[in-house]
């Protein structure tokens, strides 16, 4: 079978490789992968940003496949079903353990991922795919979709009349926009690209802010909310953007940090924002995928609403190395996917 394999830290060591088709062990199924979605994490994994990874690692944290073989003892699934393997294979209970996060994420550092023709995964870590979704659309659910779902519907507990701020127009951000609108919330989207902001309006954004034109964009959020502040802000930048996210929140509001694009260094005004965090009883919550039950709840909601994930483009698996290398540029609107079959 074909697989996009990282043969060590460095993009130059990422290439399509021929490998044997894996056999499903007891309690596992074999998937014929149909599509996968590319994330910034795949780029970081290929570059060694998460430390030593397993040798000859197949990348890809999110994808969709068709069950083609059942391992010993597997019940409840049948051949031909289209499923998502959950991103954290060990997160099948409500709480995630440190061991599950360290050892059971698809696409590294230890488990092979979705950028291959076949994948053997645990049968108790699968979720049926909403029937109306294409393969590429379904491939975006395990990480981008689930991170947004948990931030908006579980950690942020967003409801009708709430205000949600989404920074950026990548996969997680646009899922968050869609989930927040399903909940009856008002949504503010920030970006440096006016064309993308107009596309966000077409998806239902109630207000848009160009953060290059308005660096103190928290003031624009307060103005939009008549001084109240937002109930939830999704923050992809961590240290570099968290100060503005905190200042945009209402008392008791939540900032969900969904990425670390800003790196390790802090923004110069983060110290100024800390009294705001304390004085307004704010909550800072990390959001990084979710449990099996959360994925199942998200899939039900997507099916009931007929929600369609936003795909910028779909490329063949053979273009995987170049696609992973381009991930940090963040130029797409929504997700970029790889068609496998």
């Amino acid at each position: 079978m074909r697989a996009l394999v990282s043969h060590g830290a460095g993009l130059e060591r990422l290439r399509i490789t021929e490998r044997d088709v894996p056999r499903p062990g007891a309690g596992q199924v074999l998937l014929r992968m149909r599509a996968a979605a590319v994330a910034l994490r795949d780029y970081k994994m290929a570059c060694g940003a998460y430390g030593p990874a397993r040798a000859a690692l197949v990348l890809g944290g999110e994808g969709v496949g068709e069950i083609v073989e059942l391992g010993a003892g597997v019940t409840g699934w049948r051949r031909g079903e289209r499923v998502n393997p959950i991103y954290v294979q060990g997160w099948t209970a409500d709480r995630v353990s440190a061991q599950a996060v360290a050892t059971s994420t698809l696409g590294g550092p230890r488990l092979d991922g979705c950028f291959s023709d076949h994948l053997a995964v645990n049968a108790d870590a699968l979720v049926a795919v909403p029937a109306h979704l294409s393969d590429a659309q379904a491939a975006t659910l395990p990480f981008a979709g689930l991170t947004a779902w948990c931030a908006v519907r579980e950690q942020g507990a967003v409801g009708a009349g709430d205000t949600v701020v989404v920074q950026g127009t990548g996969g997680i951000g646009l899922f968050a926009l869609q989930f927040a609108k399903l909940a009856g919330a008002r949504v503010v989207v920030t970006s440096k690209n006016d064309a993308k902001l107009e596309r966000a309006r077409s998806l239902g954004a109630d207000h848009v802010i160009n953060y290059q034109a308005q660096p103190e964009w928290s003031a624009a959020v307060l103005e939009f909310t008549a001084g109240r502040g937002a109930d939830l802000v999704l923050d992809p930048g961590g240290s570099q953007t968290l100060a503005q996210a905190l200042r945009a929140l209402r008392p008791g509001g939540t900032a969900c940090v969904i990425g670390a694009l800003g790196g390790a260094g802090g923004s110069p005004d983060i110290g100024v924002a800390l009294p705001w965090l304390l004085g307004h009883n704010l909550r800072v919550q990390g959001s990084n995928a979710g449990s099996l039950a959360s994925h199942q709840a998200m899939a039900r909601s997507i099916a009931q609403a007929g929600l369609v994930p936003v795909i910028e483009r779909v490329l063949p698996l053979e273009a995987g190395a170049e696609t992973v290398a381009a991930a940090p540029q963040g130029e797409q609107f929504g997700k970029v996917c790889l068609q496998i079959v």
Side-chain angles (χ1 to χ4, degrees), residues 72-129:
V74 173
T75 60
W77 296 107
R78 64 181 184 277
R79 291 177 179 83
E81 288 188 277
R82 200 168 54 130
V83 295
N84 288 131
I86 65 173
Y87 167 64
V88 185
Q89 286 280 288
W91 198 348
T92 55
D94 289 340
R95 287 190 176 186
V96 64
S97 69
Q99 182 180 14
V101 171
T103 64
S104 73
T105 50
L106 290 178
R110 298 194 185 181
L111 295 185
D112 282 337
C114 299
F115 296 166
S116 61
D117 288 326
H118 292 86
L119 178 66
V121 291
N122 296 333
D124 64 356
L126 301 173
V127 178
V129 168

Side-chain angles (χ1 to χ4, degrees), residues 32-36 62-66 82-85 129 135-136 138-139:
R32 175 65 170 101
M33 299 306 296
R34 303 189 64 86
E62 52 186 347
V64 61
E66 176 185 339
R82 200 168 54 130
V83 295
N84 288 131
V129 168
D135 291 333

Side-chain angles (χ1 to χ4, degrees), residues 29-46:
V29 301
L30 180 66
L31 302 180
R32 175 65 170 101
M33 299 306 296
R34 303 189 64 86
V38 178
L40 180 61
R41 179 182 184 272
D42 301 311
Y43 169 86
K44 291 183 175 181
M45 190 64 68

Side-chain angles (χ1 to χ4, degrees), residues 90-97 150 154-155 289-294 296:
W91 198 348
T92 55
D94 289 340
R95 287 190 176 186
V96 64
S97 69
C150 290
E154 297 182 3
Q155 296 152 346
S291 69
L292 174 68
S294 296
Q296 291 167 333

Side-chain angles (χ1 to χ4, degrees), residues 171-224:
I172 297 174
L174 294 185
F175 265 118
L177 164 60
Q178 292 175 297
F179 290 145
K181 294 304 295 182
L182 283 181
R186 300 190 305 168
V187 180
V188 179
V189 176
T190 74
S191 173
K192 64 181 179 181
N193 186 306
D194 287 334
K196 290 182 179 180
L197 289 174
E198 287 308 307
R199 293 177 71 181
R201 281 190 189 275
S202 71
L203 288 175
D206 299 276
H207 188 63
V208 298
I209 302 169
N210 186 314
Y211 65 78
Q212 281 193 336
Q214 295 180 276
E216 298 290 324
W217 55 264
S218 59
V221 173
L222 292 174
E223 181 180 358
F224 174 70

